[in-house]
C-alpha cells in the first residue's frame, strides 16, 4: 500500500484542527480506560483515602446522570471545539423556529461510527446551538455504562451528556416550563456497524421506545438528519450473516457497546489511521411533529406517531439531500 504523507507546510490552523480531533478520538476510544486505570492506581497507592472519598462522592452523586447531568458552560465553550468544528467542518442548520415553551425530543440520524455531528452540535457551542435555538438546552443521551467510570463521567457530563436510561430521558422531556431537548441517536450502537460512506440504511422500524416516551410526556418530536455523518470512516466489510458480523452482534448484546472495525486517516499521513476524514457534516434540524400527551398510549397510538415520524424524517432528507451532494435516485432505507 502506498502511503500518502501530509505535506510539511500545512498552516498552523489546520494542525490545530487535527490536534483537536486527535484529543476527541482519544476521549472517545481511550479516555475512559485511562481514567479507570488512574483510579485503580490511586486505590493501591498511599493516596487510597482520596480514592475512598471519591467513591463516596460517586455514591452520593449516582443519580446526577439521570437527572439532567451537570453541564459546564465553560467546557462547552472551550476554544478547542471551534478547531474541532472546522476540521470537518460541522454546521447546524435550522429549518424552523422552536418554541422554548415546549420540551422536545430530537431523533438524530444516522448514528455514524463516533456520532461526531451530535457531539459537535449538541455537546459544544461551536456550531451556535444557543444562538440558533434560544431558550433551549440540549442533552445528548449516552449509554449508562460510561457514567460508572470514575472521573470520565464527570468530564462527559460537562458537555451535556446524560444517561440513556428511560428515567433519564423522561426527566429531560418532562421538565416543567419547557426549553429542554433530549437528543437520541435512534439507531443506537447497532447502526454504527453499517456506518460507511454512502450508507443510507437506518434502524428505525423497530425503534419505538422514544415514540412512547414523547406520547407519555407530551414533548414535541423533531427529526434530525446529519448529512455526511457516514462519510467520516471506512469500515471492514461485515455484511449481515458474515462471521465478523455475528461476532460483533454477539459482543454488542453482551457488552451493550458496538465494536465497528473502522479506519480512515492518520495524523501525519492520509492512508490509514483512526482519525476521521475531513468531510463536511451538515446537521439539519427538521420541523417538529406536534404530540398530544397520552399518559397510557396504546399500540395504535405509538404506531401512528411512529409512521408520522418516519414520514417527517423521509421528507426532511428528500428536501435537503440535493444541497449536500446526494443523488436524486438515493433514498433512505428503514430496517
Amino acid at each position: 500500500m502506498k502511503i500518502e504523507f501530509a505535506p510539511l507546510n500545512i498552516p498552523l490552523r489546520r494542525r490545530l484542527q487535527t490536534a483537536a480531533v486527535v484529543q476527541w478520538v482519544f476521549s472517545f476510544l481511550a479516555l475512559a480506560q485511562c481514567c479507570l486505570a488512574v483510579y485503580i492506581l490511586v486505590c493501591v497507592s498511599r493516596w487510597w483515602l482520596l480514592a475512598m472519598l471519591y467513591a463516596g462522592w460517586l455514591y452520593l452523586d449516582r443519580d446526577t446522570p439521570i437527572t439532567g447531568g451537570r453541564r459546564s458552560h465553560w467546557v462547552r465553550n472551550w476554544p478547542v471545539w471551534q478547531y474541532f468544528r472546522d476540521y470537518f467542518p460541522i454546521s447546524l442548520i435550522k429549518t424552523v423556529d422552536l418554541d422554548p415553551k415546549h420540551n422536545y425530543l430530537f431523533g438524530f440520524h444516522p448514528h455514524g461510527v463516533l456520532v461526531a455531528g451530535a457531539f459537535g452540535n449538541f455537546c459544544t457551542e461551536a456550531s451556535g446551538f444557543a444562538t440558533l435555538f434560544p431558550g433551549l438546552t440540549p442533552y445528548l443521551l449516552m449509554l449508562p455504562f460510561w457514567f460508572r467510570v470514575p472521573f470520565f463521567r464527570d468530564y462527559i457530563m460537562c458537555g451535556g451528556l446524560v444517561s440513556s436510561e428511560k428515567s433519564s430521558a423522561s426527566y429531560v422531556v418532562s421538565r416543567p416550563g419547557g426549553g429542554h431537548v433530549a437528543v437520541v441517536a435512534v439507531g443506537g450502537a447497532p447502526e454504527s456497524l453499517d456506518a460507511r460512506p454512502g450508507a443510507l440504511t437506518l434502524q428505525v422500524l423497530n425503534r419505538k421506545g422514544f415514540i412512547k416516551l414523547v406520547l407519555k410526556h407530551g414533548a414535541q418530536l423533531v427529526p434530525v438528519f446529519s448529512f455526511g455523518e457516514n462519510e467520516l470512516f471506512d469500515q471492514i466489510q461485515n455484511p449481515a450473516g458474515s462471521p465478523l458480523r455475528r461476532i460483533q452482534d454477539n459482543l454488542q448484546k453482551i457488552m451493550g457497546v458496538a465494536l465497528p472495525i473502522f479506519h480512515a486517516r492518520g495524523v501525519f499521513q492520509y492512508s490509514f489511521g483512526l482519525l476521521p476524514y475531513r468531510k463536511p457534516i451538515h446537521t439539519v434540524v427538521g420541523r417538529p411533529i406536534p404530540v398530544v400527551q397520552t399518559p397510557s398510549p396504546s399500540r395504535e397510538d405509538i404506531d401512528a406517531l411512529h409512521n408520522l415520524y418516519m414520514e417527517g424524517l423521509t421528507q426532511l432528507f428528500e428536501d435537503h439531500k440535493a444541497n449536500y451532494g446526494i443523488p436524486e435516485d438515493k433514498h433512505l432505507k428503514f430496517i
Side-chain angles (χ1 to χ4, degrees), residues 143-162:
L143 290 173
F145 167 80
W146 300 113
F147 295 93
R148 300 187 182 102
V149 180
F151 309 129
F152 182 73
R153 68 186 292 277
D154 302 294
Y155 174 61
I156 59 178
M157 281 195 290
C158 287
L161 285 150
V162 295

Side-chain angles (χ1 to χ4, degrees), residues 12-238:
L12 177 61
R13 173 180 53 83
R14 287 178 67 86
R15 294 188 184 278
L16 291 174
Q17 291 168 6
T18 301
V21 171
V22 168
Q23 67 82 26
W24 173 72
V25 171
F26 170 78
S27 297
F28 203 102
L29 299 181
L31 183 58
Q33 295 87 329
C34 291
C35 288
L36 182 59
V38 168
Y39 182 73
I40 293 173
L41 289 174
V42 174
C43 285
V44 298
S45 72
R46 61 179 179 176
W47 302 102
W48 62 270
L49 183 57
L50 291 178
M52 295 302 102
L53 290 173
Y54 183 79
W57 161 251
L58 284 180
Y59 178 77
L60 294 174
D61 197 52
R62 64 191 182 279
D63 289 337
T64 299
I66 61 174
T67 53
R70 185 169 47 248
R71 69 182 50 235
S72 166
H73 178 76
W74 175 63
V75 172
R76 288 174 58 87
N77 284 275
W78 277 352
V80 67
W81 304 131
Q82 297 176 24
Y83 291 109
F84 172 80
R85 173 200 64 198
D86 294 340
Y87 173 91
F88 299 95
I90 295 173
S91 59
L92 183 63
I93 296 93
K94 177 176 73 171
T95 56
V96 296
D97 291 331
L98 297 181
D99 188 349
K101 294 180 182 178
H102 299 290
N103 290 320
Y104 298 88
L105 188 147
F106 283 9
F108 182 88
H109 309 268
H111 183 285
V113 173
L114 298 183
V115 213
F119 178 87
N121 287 308
F122 305 120
C123 296
T124 81
E125 286 298 332
S127 59
F129 181 91
T131 301
L132 287 171
F133 300 101
L136 296 183
T137 302
Y139 304 82
L140 179 61
L141 274 64
M142 190 175 186
L143 290 173
F145 167 80
W146 300 113
F147 295 93
R148 300 187 182 102
V149 180
F151 309 129
F152 182 73
R153 68 186 292 277
D154 302 294
Y155 174 61
I156 59 178
M157 281 195 290
C158 287
L161 285 150
V162 295
S163 172
S164 60
E165 294 175 69
K166 183 170 67 175
S167 59
S168 174
S170 296
Y171 179 88
V172 173
V173 299
S174 64
R175 298 285 295 277
H180 299 275
V181 180
V183 183
V184 179
V186 175
E191 192 175 270
S192 68
L193 298 177
D194 291 314
R196 51 176 48 87
L200 293 173
T201 300
L202 304 179
Q203 297 205 17
V204 179
L205 290 181
N206 296 317
R207 305 279 175 154
K208 299 182 180 181
F210 71 107
I211 300 292
K212 184 177 181 180
L213 183 75
V214 296
L215 280 168
K216 289 181 67 175
H217 297 288
Q220 296 199 5
L221 188 57
V222 181
V224 176
F225 196 88
S226 196
F227 292 89
E229 191 73 42
N230 281 341
E231 310 301 314
L232 304 182
F233 296 96
D234 291 310
Q235 191 170 165
I236 299 296
Q237 290 298 318
N238 59 340

